[in-house]
Every structure is written in C-alpha cells, then in structure tokens.
Amino acid sequence: MSLKNQYRILLPLFVLVFLFLGAPERAHAEDVSVEIDLNADMMDFYNNPQNVTVTSIGGPVNFVVTGVNGSGNYQYYLNDVELYDSTIYHGYYYVADPSRLPGYQTSNVLTFQFTASGTYKIVIYIMDMNSHAYKRKQVIMTVNDPSRPSVEAVADSVVAQCPGGSAYDRALWLHDWVLNHVTYDYSYMYVGSEAVLTRGTGICEGYARAYQLLLTKAGIANGLIEDRPDGHIWNAVNIDGAWYQVDCTWDDNGGDALATHKYFCVTDAIMTYSHPNHAAVAGYASNSMAANYMVRSGAAANWANEFTSGIQSNLDSKNTSFSLTPAQNYDRYFKMIAYTSAAYVLNVKSYSTGGKTVSLQATYTQDGAGNGSMNFTVTYPEETTTVAQTTVAKTTKETTKGTTTKETTKKQTDKGSSKDAEEKESEDEEKTTAAGKDPEQSLEDMLDPDAESGSVNDTEETEDAEAAEEAVDAETDDDVSGEAEDRNAEDGNAEVSENETVSDGNEKIAGSGENGDLAEDAAVAAEDVSGKGASGAGKILAAVMIPLAAAGAALWFILWKKRKKEDTPEE
C-alpha cells in the first residue's frame, strides 16, 4: 500500500481520535477554584462569600479547593448545594439532601452536576488532619447556560402547555404531567423542584415543591402540607372555594387510572388514615369530596350502587339506622378512599318509600385492618301532619261560617231595632211638644246634681226597670221588628199610662244618639252573648248586665221626667 493511500486511511482515524478525546473536555463545565484560609475568622464565612459565574453546565462542575496557612494535610467536603427561588419562597432551598452528599475525601476536586440556570449557594469544608481544625467557605455561583433554562422557565413552559378549563381540570392535568415526567429517586438525593422539573426525579418533597410551583404559575391557590413525624410532604389545593389534599408521590405507582389518582382531592380524614400523625392544618382544612377524582370520574357511583337494594329494603321496613358491608376487598388505603367517595355519592341522591321522600345520611368507617362498613341514619316524614292540618282547616272554616251567620243576624236585628226606635222617638217628640216640654233638653240637664230625687217611689223604679228590661229583651228576638210595630199600634189606640210612658222613654233613650250609648251597648252585648251561644259564665254575665242596663235607662228617664215636671209652671 502506498504512503499516500496510508494517509488517506489514517487521517480520518486521527480526526476521530481527536474528536473522541476532545469531547469530554468540551462537555465539562468550567472549573471553579476555591481558596480557604485556615486562619480566617469564623465570620469570614458569612461576610466574604466567593462569587463566581458559570456559563456552561454541559457536564459536572469541578470545585478545585486549595487550603492555605495549614499543615497541607487536608480533607475536603462538599456540604451543601441550594438554589434560590424567586417565585414562592424568595430564598434558597435544598437541591440535594446534605446527608446524602459524599463526606470528607482526600481529593481536592469536588464535583456536582447542575441541570438548570440560576443562583446557587455552595458550602465547602476543609479540615486540617494534623490539627483537626476546620474552616468552611460559601460560594455564590450564578449559572447562565442558554441550553439549561431555569426551573421557573421550565415551569412556565409546562403551564403554557396546560389546556384551559376549570381549576379542577388544570390541577388534574398538572398532577398527571408530574407523574408522567418523574420517577421516584430511591437514592433519596434530590429533594427540590429543581430535581423534578429538570432532572426528572425526586423524592416526596421534590414532587410537592414542583407541583406547588406549577399550581402557583397556573393561578391555583395551594400550599404545602408536612407530616414531619412520618417524613412526608404533599399539597393542599383549592378547587371552587374548597380545600383538598393532593399527594402526587403516593399516586405515582405505575397503576391504572384509579390507582394513580386515588389521592387526588381527598379529605384530611383520608390522609389521616394513611398518615396517622396528620391533622388538619389551619387554613387548609379539607372536608369536601365534591372535587374528588373518584366522584368526578364516576367510579364512586359504581361503588355506591352496591348498596342500592339494601338501602331500599331498610327504608321500606322504616328502619331509622342500619349498616351495610362493602362488596370489594381492596387494599385498606384504596378501600378507605373508594367507599368514602361512595358515601358522598349516596348522600347527594334522593330516596323515598311509600311515595314519600325521606332524608338519608351515609358515613363510611374503617378500622386499621381495613374492615369497614357503610352506616346509615334515616329521617322519615311525619305521618299525622296532613290529617292535623286538614282538621284545623275544616274547624276554622266552620267557625268562620258560624260567625258570619251570626253577624248577619245581628245586623238585621240592629236594622229593625233602629227603625222601631226612630218611630218611637218621633211619637215621643209629638207627645212632649203637646205637653209644652222642650224635646232638645240634654241628658246633662236631666241629671243636674242639684235636682231632688227623694220623691221617686221605689215601686215606680221597679216597674220602670222591668219595662226597660222587656224593651231590651225584645230587641234580641228574631221578630223584634214585628212585635215593636204591634206594640206601637196598641200604644197609639190606648190611653198612655205612666208605665207605657216609661217604656217609651226607655226606647227613646236607647235609640237617641250619645244619650242612649250605655243602653245600646248593653243591648248589643246581650245580643252578642246570646247569639254566640254563650254558656256557663257567659249566660250569667248576660243575665246580670241586661237588668242593670234597663234599670239605668229607666232611672235616667224618671229623673228627666221629674225635672221636666218641676220646671213646668202650673196653670
């Protein structure tokens, strides 16, 4: 083979070797040199951090550490890596769990792989192995690598892909995005949102912080829930004004749709069953199942249907409380979620028995071993309500009818009595005028306190009272008008006696305006008592009031007659 042909073959090989050997160097990020003075004051750590800028993180960043003013026998330790958050906390959070980072090592080159642009805080320790004195250095490193966007930029990009819709729809989509792009970190190294959004891995804190950042950028109210005794973190999410618990970590199990959404929008009670140390957090208390995935997907309705026949049988038997056993034998955590959601569905359904609606309340309870029951309490409508109302209505109607009839009779009686009184008043005025007496003289003049009344005969008062009583009683009879007309006719043909004059006078007073108010009131009261069928005390009252009213009217007339007689001059 000629030399020329050999060059043609070897040249490409040299190029390949060069590229191969040179690629790792170009893939490495820039090295960062760190000098630590072992004689430095302890406050130097806080007051004099080292600030560096890195423009490429295509590979691990090497921190090359040099110790000065020591024995030269050193060990080195990368203790802490944190990333500054500008959206939620406005402070640094752990990228890696410090306890998971390698401990002290003899090599002075400490390496860490960064995956996003941003501002980091790195803490490096150096120990003098001769004196066992140690110092630490804080490095503030700013990464500006266009090929490695920041965590916030990645979150913005994810939210931009989220379709519109309700808060429930968006929260569900973001929940599913996290599960589809993340695998659980069983090395337990990466703990923040940086890991989930830019590394595709993380532990529960990484899941929760990443989901929190996505929800915040999507405009959905949320918070972090920490169960420190159990070492677990998840999210609280506000859907339509109610708070729910969401655990992306426990949903990331590689199962079917129900298994990967069992902790999407659940209650504090469900989370407490799974994590006994959990208690409702002020401001994030979760009691509703309205936005629960099992309810929204229709799965809860299927579980609720297991109880339909049993419920109806107990309703028809009028049982006020009863329990039914679930049919499915899921693992205890899923079973708690499934039948708690079924209880919610049962509580929003309507129930009836015998054509009447009843009120039913279902609650699901389960022990630590997964043995549970659906418990029911029922309120039935009052059976006597309709009958009682009908009886009251009927009684009221009859009472109203009777009252109306009596009022009509009273009006007719009053009308007849009024007509009779007017005729008698006209007749009395004619008689009074003929006797030379003033018919307009008032009752006040008749009852002058200076007038003498000692000459009135007791017998005359008794007779006058009886006549007045008969006049009042006549007004309450159904045929009072006819009797009054007959009596008036007889009075016109017969000689006017003193008793007849007294009777006529009583009738005149009873029907003559304000002077007859007392007698008229007494007569009306008597009518009311008699017309309403008064018994017992009512009849006694009527028997007393009628004679008193008649006696009073007779007395007034006698006094008036006596006064007129005295005032008339003798011929």
Side-chain angles (χ1 to χ4, degrees):
M1 179 183 293
S2 65
L3 183 61
K4 184 176 181 181
N5 290 332
Q6 290 177 353
Y7 283 136
R8 288 177 178 175
I9 295 174
L10 293 176
L11 183 59
L13 291 176
F14 284 128
V15 172
L16 290 174
V17 170
F18 176 81
L19 293 174
F20 178 80
L21 294 176
E25 183 66 27
R26 287 194 300 273
H28 274 291
E30 303 170 25
D31 291 343
V32 177
S33 297
V34 180
E35 184 179 275
I36 303 178
D37 186 354
L38 277 85
N39 287 334
D41 186 270
M42 291 297 295
M43 294 304 295
D44 184 68
F45 172 81
Y46 300 102
N47 297 332
N48 296 302
Q50 180 178 337
N51 294 288
V52 298
T53 300
V54 175
T55 58
S56 175
I57 51 173
V61 172
N62 294 325
F63 297 94
V64 182
V65 185
T66 302
V68 296
N69 296 322
S71 67
N73 183 17
Y74 307 124
Q75 285 192 1
Y76 312 90
Y77 172 29
L78 179 62
N79 171 261
D80 184 20
V81 179
E82 298 179 39
L83 176 61
Y84 185 83
D85 169 79
S86 60
T87 301
I88 299 174
Y89 308 105
H90 302 288
Y92 290 96
Y93 65 87
Y94 287 120
V95 170
D97 182 349
S99 66
R100 302 289 175 177
L101 292 169
Y104 281 99
Q105 62 185 51
T106 57
S107 172
N108 70 326
V109 179
L110 305 175
T111 302
F112 190 83
Q113 177 66 64
F114 296 89
T115 56
S117 294
T119 301
Y120 294 84
K121 179 171 67 176
I122 297 97
V123 178
I124 298 173
Y125 279 74
I126 185 171
M127 178 177 287
D128 190 321
M129 300 305 294
N130 292 347
S131 64
H132 295 288
Y134 71 90
K135 288 293 186 291
R136 55 183 177 167
K137 188 71 173 181
Q138 185 174 202
V139 178
I140 304 300
M141 185 179 75
T142 301
V143 176
N144 291 320
D145 186 342
S147 65
R148 300 286 183 170
S150 68
V151 174
E152 286 81 1
V154 172
D156 288 333
S157 175
V158 173
V159 172
Q161 301 171 46
C162 179
S166 65
Y168 173 87
D169 294 332
R170 287 178 286 134
L172 179 61
W173 189 91
L174 294 172
H175 165 278
D176 292 351
W177 186 93
V178 171
L179 268 59
N180 292 332
H181 289 79
V182 181
T183 57
Y184 192 81
D185 177 20
Y186 286 99
S187 73
Y188 307 108
M189 170 73 77
Y190 301 107
V191 297
S193 56
E194 178 264 2
V196 169
L197 293 175
T198 65
R199 297 176 190 270
T201 190
I203 61 172
C204 63
E205 184 173 353
Y207 279 80
R209 290 187 183 277
Y211 190 49
Q212 180 186 29
L213 180 60
L214 294 173
L215 289 169
T216 300
K217 288 187 173 292
I220 300 173
N222 66 90
L224 279 182
I225 305 296
E226 299 185 39
D227 178 7
R228 292 189 179 277
D230 201 25
H232 190 52
I233 300 178
W234 62 89
N235 300 89
V237 183
N238 191 288
I239 305 293
D240 299 330
W243 285 99
Y244 299 89
Q245 308 287 296
V246 177
D247 191 341
C248 293
T249 306
W250 277 40
D251 276 351
D252 191 13
N253 53 44
D256 60 15
L258 295 181
T260 55
H261 294 92
K262 61 182 181 293
Y263 288 101
F264 185 79
C265 292
V266 297
T267 63
D268 283 312
I270 290 176
M271 294 307 297
T272 300
Y273 185 83
S274 301
H275 305 280
N277 293 306
H278 171 66
V281 177
Y284 300 126
S286 304
N287 302 304
S288 175
M289 290 287 282
N292 174 255
Y293 180 84
M294 305 302 172
V295 172
R296 293 289 184 97
S297 67
N302 293 331
W303 293 314
N305 288 337
E306 296 177 9
F307 305 97
T308 301
S309 60
I311 291 173
Q312 194 60 54
S313 176
N314 279 275
L315 293 181
D316 293 340
S317 298
K318 298 298 177 62
N319 293 327
T320 57
S321 63
F322 55 93
S323 297
L324 299 174
T325 303
Q328 301 297 331
N329 188 28
Y330 299 122
D331 73 76
R332 66 189 185 99
Y333 300 114
F334 189 81
K335 188 176 183 181
M336 178 69 177
I337 297 166
Y339 287 107
T340 299
S341 65
Y344 172 84
V345 173
L346 290 171
N347 286 332
V348 298
K349 295 176 67 176
S350 60
Y351 302 89
S352 64
T353 181
K356 297 178 181 179
T357 301
V358 300
S359 175
L360 179 144
Q361 181 68 35
T363 55
Y364 180 71
T365 57
Q366 182 174 298
D367 62 21
N371 301 311
S373 63
M374 193 70 76
N375 310 301
F376 302 88
T377 57
V378 186
T379 302
Y380 296 89
E382 293 291 340
E383 298 292 344
T384 58
T385 301
T386 304
V387 176
Q389 291 176 347
T390 303
T391 302
V392 170
K394 182 178 180 181
T395 303
T396 302
K397 183 176 180 180
E398 291 176 349
T399 302
T400 303
K401 181 179 179 181
T403 302
T404 303
T405 303
K406 292 174 182 178
E407 288 178 351
T408 303
T409 303
K410 182 177 180 298
K411 290 180 180 179
Q412 293 173 350
T413 302
D414 290 345
K415 183 176 180 181
S417 299
S418 177
K419 181 178 179 181
D420 182 54
E422 289 176 359
E423 293 176 355
K424 293 297 293 180
E425 182 178 359
S426 177
E427 181 180 347
D428 289 344
E429 287 179 356
E430 292 176 357
K431 293 178 180 179
T432 303
T433 303
K437 298 179 180 180
D438 183 6
E440 300 299 327
Q441 185 175 14
S442 66
L443 184 59
E444 294 177 358
D445 294 335
M446 300 177 193
L447 300 178
D448 190 330
D450 295 332
E452 296 181 1
S453 58
S455 60
V456 179
N457 188 279
D458 293 339
T459 303
E460 291 178 348
E461 290 180 6
T462 302
E463 292 175 350
D464 293 339
E466 291 176 354
E469 180 178 352
E470 291 176 358
V472 174
D473 290 338
E475 291 180 358
T476 61
D477 294 332
D478 292 339
D479 57 348
V480 66
S481 298
E483 291 181 2
E485 290 175 358
D486 293 340
R487 188 170 64 253
N488 289 337
E490 292 174 0
D491 290 345
N493 297 326
E495 180 180 356
V496 179
S497 66
E498 183 176 354
N499 288 341
E500 288 173 337
T501 304
V502 171
S503 178
D504 293 340
N506 288 341
E507 291 180 5
K508 179 178 180 180
I509 292 173
S512 58
E514 62 182 3
N515 292 336
D517 287 344
L518 181 57
E520 182 178 355
D521 291 344
V524 171
E527 277 185 10
D528 290 342
V529 174
S530 301
K532 293 179 180 178
S535 61
K539 291 181 178 179
I540 294 172
L541 179 61
V544 172
M545 289 301 298
I546 292 173
L548 288 177
L555 177 59
W556 289 339
F557 179 75
I558 292 169
L559 292 176
W560 172 80
K561 180 178 178 182
K562 176 177 177 58
R563 179 65 177 270
K564 286 298 182 178
K565 185 176 181 180
E566 290 175 352
D567 291 342
T568 302
E570 297 181 359
E571 295 180 356

